[in-house]
mmCIF file of all heavy atoms in Angstrom:
data_model
loop_
_atom_site.group_PDB
_atom_site.id
_atom_site.type_symbol
_atom_site.label_atom_id
_atom_site.label_comp_id
_atom_site.label_asym_id
_atom_site.label_seq_id
_atom_site.Cartn_x
_atom_site.Cartn_y
_atom_site.Cartn_z
ATOM 1 N N ARG O 364 -141.916 -9.120 -145.704
ATOM 2 C CA ARG O 364 -140.645 -9.785 -145.415
ATOM 3 C C ARG O 364 -140.617 -10.112 -143.930
ATOM 4 O O ARG O 364 -141.405 -9.575 -143.162
ATOM 5 C CB ARG O 364 -139.465 -8.892 -145.800
ATOM 6 C CG ARG O 364 -139.534 -7.483 -145.209
ATOM 7 C CD ARG O 364 -138.363 -6.623 -145.585
ATOM 8 N NE ARG O 364 -137.133 -7.308 -145.265
ATOM 9 C CZ ARG O 364 -136.180 -7.574 -146.179
ATOM 10 N NH1 ARG O 364 -136.320 -7.181 -147.419
ATOM 11 N NH2 ARG O 364 -135.086 -8.206 -145.830
ATOM 12 N N PRO O 365 -139.714 -10.999 -143.496
ATOM 13 C CA PRO O 365 -139.649 -11.304 -142.063
ATOM 14 C C PRO O 365 -139.204 -10.073 -141.276
ATOM 15 O O PRO O 365 -138.689 -9.115 -141.848
ATOM 16 C CB PRO O 365 -138.586 -12.403 -141.971
ATOM 17 C CG PRO O 365 -138.238 -12.785 -143.351
ATOM 18 C CD PRO O 365 -138.724 -11.724 -144.278
ATOM 19 N N GLY O 366 -139.390 -10.103 -139.993
ATOM 20 C CA GLY O 366 -138.966 -8.970 -139.167
ATOM 21 C C GLY O 366 -140.058 -7.925 -139.061
ATOM 22 O O GLY O 366 -141.164 -8.094 -139.567
ATOM 23 N N PHE O 367 -139.714 -6.820 -138.390
ATOM 24 C CA PHE O 367 -140.729 -5.840 -137.995
ATOM 25 C C PHE O 367 -140.694 -4.593 -138.878
ATOM 26 O O PHE O 367 -140.664 -3.463 -138.395
ATOM 27 C CB PHE O 367 -140.542 -5.486 -136.518
ATOM 28 C CG PHE O 367 -140.365 -6.693 -135.630
ATOM 29 C CD1 PHE O 367 -139.333 -6.761 -134.700
ATOM 30 C CD2 PHE O 367 -141.238 -7.779 -135.725
ATOM 31 C CE1 PHE O 367 -139.159 -7.884 -133.887
ATOM 32 C CE2 PHE O 367 -141.080 -8.914 -134.916
ATOM 33 C CZ PHE O 367 -140.028 -8.951 -133.999
ATOM 34 N N PHE O 368 -140.697 -4.797 -140.183
ATOM 35 C CA PHE O 368 -140.565 -3.683 -141.127
ATOM 36 C C PHE O 368 -141.923 -3.050 -141.439
ATOM 37 O O PHE O 368 -142.880 -3.755 -141.779
ATOM 38 C CB PHE O 368 -139.977 -4.173 -142.451
ATOM 39 C CG PHE O 368 -138.528 -4.573 -142.388
ATOM 40 C CD1 PHE O 368 -138.156 -5.844 -141.952
ATOM 41 C CD2 PHE O 368 -137.528 -3.684 -142.778
ATOM 42 C CE1 PHE O 368 -136.815 -6.224 -141.912
ATOM 43 C CE2 PHE O 368 -136.187 -4.057 -142.743
ATOM 44 C CZ PHE O 368 -135.835 -5.330 -142.310
ATOM 45 N N VAL O 369 -141.978 -1.729 -141.349
ATOM 46 C CA VAL O 369 -143.152 -0.976 -141.796
ATOM 47 C C VAL O 369 -142.686 -0.014 -142.891
ATOM 48 O O VAL O 369 -141.656 0.657 -142.738
ATOM 49 C CB VAL O 369 -143.782 -0.173 -140.628
ATOM 50 C CG1 VAL O 369 -144.897 0.739 -141.128
ATOM 51 C CG2 VAL O 369 -144.322 -1.126 -139.565
ATOM 52 N N GLU O 370 -143.425 0.046 -143.978
ATOM 53 C CA GLU O 370 -143.017 0.911 -145.092
ATOM 54 C C GLU O 370 -142.979 2.373 -144.666
ATOM 55 O O GLU O 370 -143.798 2.812 -143.855
ATOM 56 C CB GLU O 370 -144.043 0.791 -146.227
ATOM 57 C CG GLU O 370 -144.107 -0.573 -146.862
ATOM 58 C CD GLU O 370 -145.337 -0.738 -147.758
ATOM 59 O OE1 GLU O 370 -146.287 0.061 -147.635
ATOM 60 O OE2 GLU O 370 -145.334 -1.676 -148.561
ATOM 61 N N PRO O 371 -142.049 3.158 -145.242
ATOM 62 C CA PRO O 371 -142.089 4.600 -144.994
ATOM 63 C C PRO O 371 -143.419 5.154 -145.517
ATOM 64 O O PRO O 371 -143.817 4.859 -146.647
ATOM 65 C CB PRO O 371 -140.907 5.155 -145.786
ATOM 66 C CG PRO O 371 -140.407 4.053 -146.635
ATOM 67 C CD PRO O 371 -140.979 2.760 -146.156
ATOM 68 N N THR O 372 -144.091 5.884 -144.658
ATOM 69 C CA THR O 372 -145.486 6.240 -144.903
ATOM 70 C C THR O 372 -145.677 7.751 -144.883
ATOM 71 O O THR O 372 -145.206 8.423 -143.953
ATOM 72 C CB THR O 372 -146.358 5.572 -143.809
ATOM 73 O OG1 THR O 372 -146.200 4.150 -143.916
ATOM 74 C CG2 THR O 372 -147.820 5.950 -143.937
ATOM 75 N N VAL O 373 -146.374 8.262 -145.907
ATOM 76 C CA VAL O 373 -146.669 9.700 -145.956
ATOM 77 C C VAL O 373 -148.178 9.897 -146.061
ATOM 78 O O VAL O 373 -148.827 9.301 -146.928
ATOM 79 C CB VAL O 373 -145.978 10.383 -147.163
ATOM 80 C CG1 VAL O 373 -146.391 11.855 -147.274
ATOM 81 C CG2 VAL O 373 -144.460 10.258 -147.059
ATOM 82 N N PHE O 374 -148.699 10.717 -145.166
ATOM 83 C CA PHE O 374 -150.086 11.163 -145.253
ATOM 84 C C PHE O 374 -150.108 12.622 -145.686
ATOM 85 O O PHE O 374 -149.375 13.450 -145.140
ATOM 86 C CB PHE O 374 -150.778 11.079 -143.881
ATOM 87 C CG PHE O 374 -151.212 9.694 -143.486
ATOM 88 C CD1 PHE O 374 -150.537 8.988 -142.502
ATOM 89 C CD2 PHE O 374 -152.324 9.113 -144.088
ATOM 90 C CE1 PHE O 374 -150.948 7.720 -142.121
ATOM 91 C CE2 PHE O 374 -152.751 7.836 -143.712
ATOM 92 C CZ PHE O 374 -152.055 7.142 -142.722
ATOM 93 N N ASP O 375 -150.976 12.944 -146.633
ATOM 94 C CA ASP O 375 -151.208 14.336 -147.033
ATOM 95 C C ASP O 375 -152.612 14.720 -146.547
ATOM 96 O O ASP O 375 -153.396 13.849 -146.128
ATOM 97 C CB ASP O 375 -151.108 14.444 -148.566
ATOM 98 C CG ASP O 375 -151.055 15.893 -149.040
ATOM 99 O OD1 ASP O 375 -150.859 16.799 -148.200
ATOM 100 O OD2 ASP O 375 -151.221 16.117 -150.257
ATOM 101 N N GLU O 376 -152.894 16.021 -146.626
ATOM 102 C CA GLU O 376 -154.222 16.537 -146.237
ATOM 103 C C GLU O 376 -154.558 16.135 -144.797
ATOM 104 O O GLU O 376 -155.692 15.748 -144.490
ATOM 105 C CB GLU O 376 -155.291 16.073 -147.219
ATOM 106 C CG GLU O 376 -155.046 16.617 -148.629
ATOM 107 C CD GLU O 376 -155.941 16.006 -149.692
ATOM 108 O OE1 GLU O 376 -157.055 15.564 -149.362
ATOM 109 O OE2 GLU O 376 -155.498 15.968 -150.852
ATOM 110 N N VAL O 377 -153.565 16.243 -143.942
ATOM 111 C CA VAL O 377 -153.775 15.955 -142.520
ATOM 112 C C VAL O 377 -154.266 17.233 -141.844
ATOM 113 O O VAL O 377 -153.823 18.326 -142.188
ATOM 114 C CB VAL O 377 -152.457 15.460 -141.883
ATOM 115 C CG1 VAL O 377 -152.621 15.243 -140.381
ATOM 116 C CG2 VAL O 377 -151.992 14.179 -142.565
ATOM 117 N N THR O 378 -155.186 17.084 -140.911
ATOM 118 C CA THR O 378 -155.663 18.258 -140.166
ATOM 119 C C THR O 378 -155.259 18.130 -138.698
ATOM 120 O O THR O 378 -154.975 17.038 -138.208
ATOM 121 C CB THR O 378 -157.196 18.396 -140.277
ATOM 122 O OG1 THR O 378 -157.788 17.186 -139.793
ATOM 123 C CG2 THR O 378 -157.634 18.638 -141.710
ATOM 124 N N ASP O 379 -155.274 19.290 -138.027
ATOM 125 C CA ASP O 379 -154.699 19.360 -136.675
ATOM 126 C C ASP O 379 -155.377 18.427 -135.680
ATOM 127 O O ASP O 379 -154.744 18.000 -134.712
ATOM 128 C CB ASP O 379 -154.788 20.795 -136.127
ATOM 129 C CG ASP O 379 -153.978 21.768 -136.961
ATOM 130 O OD1 ASP O 379 -153.290 21.326 -137.894
ATOM 131 O OD2 ASP O 379 -154.048 22.985 -136.688
ATOM 132 N N GLU O 380 -156.664 18.139 -135.883
ATOM 133 C CA GLU O 380 -157.397 17.342 -134.885
ATOM 134 C C GLU O 380 -157.117 15.852 -135.025
ATOM 135 O O GLU O 380 -157.421 15.071 -134.121
ATOM 136 C CB GLU O 380 -158.926 17.513 -134.999
ATOM 137 C CG GLU O 380 -159.443 18.926 -135.202
ATOM 138 C CD GLU O 380 -159.120 19.433 -136.608
ATOM 139 O OE1 GLU O 380 -159.413 18.734 -137.593
ATOM 140 O OE2 GLU O 380 -158.521 20.544 -136.683
ATOM 141 N N MET O 381 -156.582 15.425 -136.148
ATOM 142 C CA MET O 381 -156.414 13.971 -136.356
ATOM 143 C C MET O 381 -155.413 13.384 -135.362
ATOM 144 O O MET O 381 -154.418 14.018 -135.010
ATOM 145 C CB MET O 381 -155.923 13.699 -137.777
ATOM 146 C CG MET O 381 -156.969 13.951 -138.838
ATOM 147 S SD MET O 381 -156.260 13.647 -140.476
ATOM 148 C CE MET O 381 -157.625 14.172 -141.506
ATOM 149 N N HIS O 382 -155.676 12.167 -134.975
ATOM 150 C CA HIS O 382 -154.797 11.431 -134.063
ATOM 151 C C HIS O 382 -153.344 11.468 -134.551
ATOM 152 O O HIS O 382 -152.421 11.718 -133.761
ATOM 153 C CB HIS O 382 -155.323 9.991 -133.969
ATOM 154 C CG HIS O 382 -154.455 9.068 -133.200
ATOM 155 N ND1 HIS O 382 -154.510 8.979 -131.828
ATOM 156 C CD2 HIS O 382 -153.501 8.179 -133.605
ATOM 157 C CE1 HIS O 382 -153.637 8.078 -131.420
ATOM 158 N NE2 HIS O 382 -153.019 7.577 -132.473
ATOM 159 N N ILE O 383 -153.141 11.233 -135.845
ATOM 160 C CA ILE O 383 -151.763 11.151 -136.360
ATOM 161 C C ILE O 383 -151.058 12.501 -136.315
ATOM 162 O O ILE O 383 -149.833 12.560 -136.416
ATOM 163 C CB ILE O 383 -151.699 10.577 -137.804
ATOM 164 C CG1 ILE O 383 -152.604 11.380 -138.749
ATOM 165 C CG2 ILE O 383 -152.034 9.087 -137.813
ATOM 166 C CD1 ILE O 383 -152.379 11.011 -140.219
ATOM 167 N N ALA O 384 -151.824 13.601 -136.156
ATOM 168 C CA ALA O 384 -151.195 14.926 -136.043
ATOM 169 C C ALA O 384 -151.002 15.331 -134.590
ATOM 170 O O ALA O 384 -150.352 16.336 -134.312
ATOM 171 C CB ALA O 384 -152.067 15.973 -136.737
ATOM 172 N N ARG O 385 -151.553 14.554 -133.682
ATOM 173 C CA ARG O 385 -151.472 14.939 -132.269
ATOM 174 C C ARG O 385 -150.563 14.035 -131.459
ATOM 175 O O ARG O 385 -149.868 14.485 -130.568
ATOM 176 C CB ARG O 385 -152.882 14.948 -131.641
ATOM 177 C CG ARG O 385 -153.718 16.144 -132.049
ATOM 178 C CD ARG O 385 -155.039 16.202 -131.296
ATOM 179 N NE ARG O 385 -155.948 15.152 -131.738
ATOM 180 C CZ ARG O 385 -156.276 14.084 -131.017
ATOM 181 N NH1 ARG O 385 -155.800 13.934 -129.806
ATOM 182 N NH2 ARG O 385 -157.090 13.169 -131.498
ATOM 183 N N GLU O 386 -150.603 12.743 -131.759
ATOM 184 C CA GLU O 386 -149.895 11.775 -130.906
ATOM 185 C C GLU O 386 -148.584 11.309 -131.528
ATOM 186 O O GLU O 386 -148.497 11.097 -132.739
ATOM 187 C CB GLU O 386 -150.794 10.564 -130.636
ATOM 188 C CG GLU O 386 -152.026 10.892 -129.807
ATOM 189 C CD GLU O 386 -151.705 11.570 -128.478
ATOM 190 O OE1 GLU O 386 -150.666 11.238 -127.879
ATOM 191 O OE2 GLU O 386 -152.490 12.445 -128.065
#
Side-chain angles (χ1 to χ4, degrees):
R364 52 179 307 123
F367 313 131
F368 290 83
V369 173
E370 295 167 343
T372 299
V373 175
F374 282 107
D375 192 12
E376 297 170 27
V377 176
T378 57
D379 297 355
E380 316 71 51
M381 289 178 185
H382 173 84
I383 55 170
R385 285 186 289 109
E386 294 305 325

